[in-house]
């Protein structure tokens, strides 16, 4: 449940500690919930990682330095340092919000956007249409890792995948879920029992002659 060491405010997905767990792991899982909750409140009002790119460089440096302390405390397994670092990071969010209020920065307008921060810190955004995309992008300085798609663009991509069968599957099974699998083939958890050697069996049917 560590923070991401890149210059992003992402917090890795939270989970219940696996038992039996040592004392620090239980404490870390508990205290990081406090930071995740504070980040969620901040992101819901101002947008995911938006203010950190808008504040002045001095404050941005302090915010990133504080996030580094959170990461270092987890690496060193120091519960006192982690508790102090998490509380300091929560204050960093407040400092950015105070800066925004003092400098006339508005909260992120609602253009019916859906934001999702991936584990690597990249923010995946879906908006209804091109007009909403333009309004959304006006709120960003262009320095953050952010990918913005319209619903029409996603529909085009999905309709082209698997010869359009994904849409048919979703129509037949509305509650089905598309998940990512690893490996070049997408099925690296399966044994390769296919014999890919050239076929040496005698040819019993001349397809070319049949076509003629």
């Amino acid at each position: 449940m560590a923070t991401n060491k890149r210059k992003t405010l992402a917090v890795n997905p939270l989970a219940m500690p696996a038992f039996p767990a040592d004392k620090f792991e239980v404490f870390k899982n508990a205290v990081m919930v406090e930071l995740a909750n504070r980040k969620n409140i901040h992101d819901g009002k101002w947008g995911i990682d938006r203010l950190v790119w808008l504040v002045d460089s001095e404050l941005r440096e302090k915010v990133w330095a504080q996030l580094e302390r959170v990461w270092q405390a987890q690496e060193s397994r120091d519960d006192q340092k982690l508790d102090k670092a998490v509380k300091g990071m929560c204050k960093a969010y407040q400092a950015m919000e105070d800066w925004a209020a003092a400098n006339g920065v508005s909260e992120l307008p609602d253009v019916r956007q859906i934001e999702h921060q991936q584990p690597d810190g990249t923010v995946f955004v879906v908006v209804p249409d091109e007009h909403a995309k333009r309004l959304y992008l006006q709120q960003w300085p262009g320095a953050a890792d952010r990918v913005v798609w319209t619903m029409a663009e996603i529909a085009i991509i999905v309709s082209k995948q698997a010869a359009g069968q994904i849409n048919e599957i979703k129509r037949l099974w509305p509650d089905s879920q598309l998940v990512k699998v690893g490996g070049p083939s997408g099925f690296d958890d399966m044994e390769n029992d296919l014999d890919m050697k050239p076929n040496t069996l005698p040819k019993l049917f001349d397809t070319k002659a049949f076509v003629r």
Side-chain angles (χ1 to χ4, degrees):
M1 194 195 303
T3 58
N4 195 312
K5 200 182 178 184
R6 294 178 57 199
K7 287 299 183 284
T8 167
L9 305 185
V11 176
N12 289 350
L14 302 174
M16 292 286 290
F19 294 102
D22 62 48
K23 182 179 179 181
F24 178 77
E25 287 298 319
V26 174
F27 175 81
K28 181 184 75 172
N29 278 267
V31 76
M32 288 300 290
V33 171
E34 180 182 347
L35 178 56
N37 290 342
R38 182 64 179 90
K39 174 176 169 55
N40 289 337
I41 293 173
H42 174 90
D43 291 345
K45 179 182 293 187
W46 300 95
I48 296 178
D49 286 6
R50 174 170 169 249
L51 288 189
V52 73
W53 294 104
L54 295 175
V55 299
D56 58 59
S57 59
E58 182 180 358
L59 179 54
R60 184 182 304 112
E61 183 180 0
K62 290 180 179 179
V63 171
W64 281 340
Q66 188 60 41
L67 187 66
E68 183 77 6
R69 294 186 186 99
V70 175
W71 182 82
Q72 289 175 344
Q74 292 175 85
E75 290 294 298
S76 63
R77 298 174 59 84
D78 189 316
D79 54 356
Q80 293 184 352
K81 286 184 178 180
L82 180 58
D83 183 55
K84 183 178 180 180
V86 166
K87 286 181 170 58
M89 192 63 209
C90 290
K91 292 179 180 178
Y93 280 114
Q94 186 61 52
M96 288 190 290
E97 293 169 5
D98 291 343
W99 182 95
N103 287 272
V105 177
S106 62
E107 298 177 7
L108 184 66
D110 182 9
V111 293
R112 294 185 293 162
Q113 72 272 10
I114 299 175
E115 295 182 321
H116 171 69
Q117 190 161 40
Q118 301 178 95
D120 67 351
T122 302
V123 180
F124 189 90
V125 187
V126 180
V127 294
D129 50 39
E130 290 294 331
H131 177 65
K133 181 163 66 172
R134 286 192 295 271
L135 292 176
Y136 178 87
L137 291 175
Q138 288 174 3
Q139 307 300 316
W140 299 92
D145 292 332
R146 194 162 304 270
V147 182
V148 185
W149 296 87
T150 66
M151 291 300 298
E153 290 173 325
I154 292 177
I156 292 173
I157 294 174
V158 173
S159 66
K160 296 296 183 181
Q161 298 299 313
Q165 293 182 6
I166 291 180
N167 279 337
E168 182 65 13
I169 292 172
K170 280 293 188 179
R171 186 183 68 82
L172 295 174
W173 294 283
D175 61 344
S176 60
Q177 181 182 8
L178 182 66
V179 297
K180 179 182 178 181
V181 292
S185 68
F187 298 97
D188 59 351
D189 58 333
M190 298 178 63
E191 295 183 6
N192 183 10
D193 57 356
L194 299 176
D195 185 2
M196 303 303 292
K197 297 178 180 178
N199 189 357
T200 58
L201 295 177
K203 192 171 185 179
L204 302 179
F205 187 79
D206 190 343
T207 55
K208 292 183 179 180
F210 177 77
V211 171
R212 290 199 298 269

